[in-house]
Amino acid sequence: MRSLISILDLSVEEIDELIAVANDIIDNPKKYAEKCHGKKLATLFFEPSTRTRLSFEAAMYELGGNVLGFSEAQSSSAAKGESVADTVRTVSCYADIIAMRHPKEGAPLVASMKATVPIINAGDGGHNHPTQTLTDLLTIQREKGRLNNLTVGFCGDLKFGRTVHSLIEALSRYTGIKIILISPDELKLPSYVKQDVLKKHNIEYVQTTDLEAVMPELDILYMTRVQRERFFNEEDYLRLKDSYILTPEKLKTAKSDLAILHPLPRVNEIAVAIDDDPRACYFRQVLNGKFVRMALILKLLEENS
Amino acid sequence: MNIDSIKNGVVIDHIKAGEGMKIYHFLNLDKQDCTVAIIKNATSKQMGRKDIIKVDSFIDLNALGYIDPNITINVIKDGVRVEKYHPELPAKIINVVRCKNPRCITTTEQELPHVFKLTDAENQVYRCIYCETKADK
């Protein structure tokens, strides 16, 4: 059974193919309106999420399919102590494909070992979030017209930010990528990501704490939120949450075709005044997320049919 | 000091001095009813000092490469050494070490096996298959 647990489950060719299908969906939505007629997507969200769950549900509806599921662990049998394995075995009887979010790292992998339908990892704690990475890649491709020869800045929480780790892994497979890591010392990219991904693939990278100093170099600026839920210690969260706030002043030295991405939700790390700047791509990014999830649902259902 | 030679079993040689008891427990030799001899701080030309374990039985040594691939395993049959090898790094180890990441699914789903796979043979790095946390030796 083909599932998507990590972005590395997909080859570069498969990612390019998903991006191509997503672009075709954007151009020809009617062609896809009945592709999933009679199919059901189960959204099993053991952790709250607005964007990802609604994006999956909207994606399935736009493919002509139906959706069932739950949006928090308390409204599922997990509250009674049911294991992930038993939950997905049960839901496999009702649905053709499952999108799962879980606070524990590795839960979707466990699900994929037991389910009889494809599992899409919709986020497992601070670990993987492959459909966000697909969203980011589609957005970069649409905004810049390419996925190679780019200088990409990641700013904010690079330690716990799963979207950052996954996107770095995905971009490391393209050529001409330079990564600039901008974070406070306490939230630096973990050394294993640097060792296993950047050094392994000979990716040029720079670490800095100074966003404004590197701003003129950037083709892409990927902003992140410092996530309260990833900290065991509230004091550390409060000390670090306002480390980087992107304002119009800080953008003065940026390229005119810079693309600013953010996985959202935003708290205050991007000033609202930037939203109307054409370089702000984060709401277009949300829309792209729906289209690439449509492409993914189609691919997994077709491969497993 | 004399220790009887074994007739059928294995001699685990070139164990780093002081690591013998760790391997004794790792191989669950305390739960076996065969004869086991642990020699500590034996003189070694190669290593200066080393530990040796002699086991008068054929036991599963599959995961020993995870502990130290430089160990030498001698297989003895009818009092004669018939095989000598270094254990390979196993591709996967199951229920040998536990994942220490408090966010890993294995912390809440107790029945799951703790599985680590070899991700970097050069540096002998094993990672949890669920959360990719590095195994602590």
Side-chain angles (χ1 to χ4, degrees):
Chain A
M1 185 60 57
R2 183 82 196 268
S3 289
L4 178 65
I5 305 303
S6 155
I7 193 67
L8 297 181
D9 294 344
L10 295 169
S11 66
V12 172
E13 292 73 28
E14 286 177 311
I15 288 174
D16 292 344
E17 176 199 316
L18 284 169
I19 288 173
V21 172
N23 278 320
D24 195 49
I25 292 170
I26 293 168
D27 295 337
N28 306 290
K30 281 187 181 167
K31 192 170 126 188
Y32 295 88
E34 293 297 322
K35 287 272 188 189
C36 286
H37 180 72
K39 298 286 184 189
K40 292 189 286 289
L41 164 77
T43 51
L44 310 187
F45 277 61
F46 295 84
E47 187 180 60
S49 154
T50 309
R51 210 166 331 278
T52 308
R53 183 171 60 84
L54 295 183
S55 177
F56 269 109
E57 294 185 359
M60 194 56 172
Y61 284 127
E62 291 199 19
L63 290 167
N66 286 302
V67 175
L68 64 163
F70 53 83
S71 57
E72 55 178 319
Q74 287 310 307
S75 57
S76 78
S77 287
K80 299 173 192 165
E82 188 178 53
S83 69
V84 167
D86 284 3
T87 301
V88 296
R89 276 195 187 112
T90 305
V91 177
S92 293
C93 300
Y94 308 139
D96 301 284
I97 187 166
I98 294 171
M100 174 193 265
R101 169 166 289 191
H102 200 286
K104 289 290 181 180
E105 299 174 12
L109 176 68
V110 173
S112 72
M113 291 167 167
K114 303 294 180 187
T116 54
V117 299
I119 300 286
I120 301 173
N121 181 0
D124 57 337
H127 186 215
N128 278 318
H129 193 359
T131 60
Q132 179 64 49
T133 309
L134 289 172
T135 302
D136 300 338
L137 293 171
L138 175 62
T139 304
I140 293 171
Q141 193 276 332
R142 287 184 67 79
E143 297 293 332
K144 308 301 293 184
R146 64 186 190 279
L147 286 169
N148 49 18
N149 300 322
L150 293 165
T151 299
V152 186
F154 290 89
C155 180
D157 175 6
L158 310 188
K159 183 178 180 185
F160 298 112
R162 62 186 166 194
T163 58
V164 170
H165 304 173
S166 294
L167 183 55
I168 288 175
E169 278 189 321
L171 285 172
S172 71
R173 299 193 289 177
Y174 291 87
T175 56
I177 298 293
K178 180 180 177 184
I179 303 284
I180 301 185
L181 305 164
I182 310 139
S183 71
D185 285 338
E186 295 89 337
L187 295 176
K188 273 186 182 170
L189 191 74
S191 57
Y192 73 87
V193 181
K194 281 182 266 183
Q195 188 66 41
D196 294 356
V197 183
L198 295 175
K199 288 179 184 166
K200 187 175 160 189
H201 291 94
N202 281 324
I203 301 290
E204 185 184 352
Y205 74 94
V206 174
Q207 285 194 120
T208 178
T209 54
D210 190 347
L211 171 61
E212 284 157 284
V214 296
M215 187 67 86
E217 276 189 70
L218 304 177
D219 298 309
I220 307 284
L221 174 56
Y222 196 95
M223 294 294 295
T224 62
R225 171 175 63 101
V226 176
Q227 300 173 87
R228 181 190 293 260
E229 61 269 32
R230 303 290 170 229
F231 283 83
F232 286 127
N233 183 336
E234 180 77 2
E235 278 177 27
D236 287 345
Y237 166 71
L238 293 172
R239 184 167 53 82
L240 294 168
K241 71 183 177 70
D242 294 332
S243 297
Y244 295 98
I245 297 175
L246 188 63
T247 58
E249 290 70 37
K250 287 181 185 168
L251 277 180
K252 277 181 183 162
T253 58
K255 288 182 181 173
S256 59
D257 64 346
L258 170 74
I260 305 165
L261 276 68
H262 191 303
L264 301 182
R266 159 182 64 178
V267 179
N268 61 349
E269 58 277 8
I270 300 180
V272 175
I274 290 176
D275 292 357
D276 294 327
D277 189 308
R279 294 173 290 188
C281 303
Y282 29 93
F283 291 114
R284 294 196 289 279
Q285 193 180 353
V286 175
L287 189 59
N288 290 334
K290 181 185 71 178
F291 294 123
V292 88
R293 287 182 178 100
M294 289 170 75
L296 178 66
I297 290 168
L298 279 175
K299 178 181 171 65
L300 291 179
L301 284 176
E302 276 170 16
E303 282 190 18
N304 291 299
S305 65
Chain B
M1 186 171 67
N2 289 322
I3 293 175
D4 290 346
S5 52
I6 56 174
K7 282 207 165 173
N8 289 293
V10 287
V11 176
I12 306 168
D13 199 358
H14 299 123
I15 300 168
K16 276 182 206 155
E19 298 272 299
M21 282 310 289
K22 185 176 165 186
I23 288 176
Y24 175 81
H25 289 295
F26 176 77
L27 295 173
N28 290 319
L29 292 172
D30 52 329
K31 298 184 180 88
Q32 306 268 349
D33 53 9
C34 55
T35 306
V36 178
I38 302 175
I39 303 163
K40 293 192 66 170
N41 293 322
T43 308
S44 163
K45 282 183 190 168
Q46 276 180 33
M47 304 168 72
R49 295 277 173 185
K50 65 178 180 180
D51 289 0
I52 304 168
I53 299 178
K54 294 187 175 190
V55 187
D56 201 7
S57 177
F58 297 108
I59 54 168
D60 180 11
L61 300 170
N62 198 28
L64 201 55
Y66 167 72
I67 296 287
D68 186 353
N70 297 315
I71 284 170
T72 305
I73 295 170
N74 299 282
V75 181
I76 313 292
K77 279 185 184 163
D78 298 325
V80 178
R81 185 172 73 191
V82 294
E83 197 182 354
K84 177 183 176 181
Y85 65 94
H86 296 296
E88 286 181 8
L89 285 173
K92 197 184 271 188
I93 49 172
I94 301 170
N95 291 331
V96 171
V97 279
R98 295 185 70 79
C99 185
K100 289 184 177 167
N101 174 10
R103 298 180 177 92
C104 181
I105 185 68
T106 53
T107 60
T108 48
E109 307 236 337
Q110 304 292 329
E111 83 290 353
L112 283 173
H114 286 246
V115 184
F116 285 76
K117 67 177 178 185
L118 180 65
T119 55
D120 179 354
E122 194 182 333
N123 296 305
Q124 297 172 30
V125 174
Y126 283 82
R127 290 194 181 279
C128 172
I129 62 160
Y130 306 106
C131 68
E132 297 176 85
T133 297
K134 196 172 164 182
D136 281 342
K137 279 201 182 177

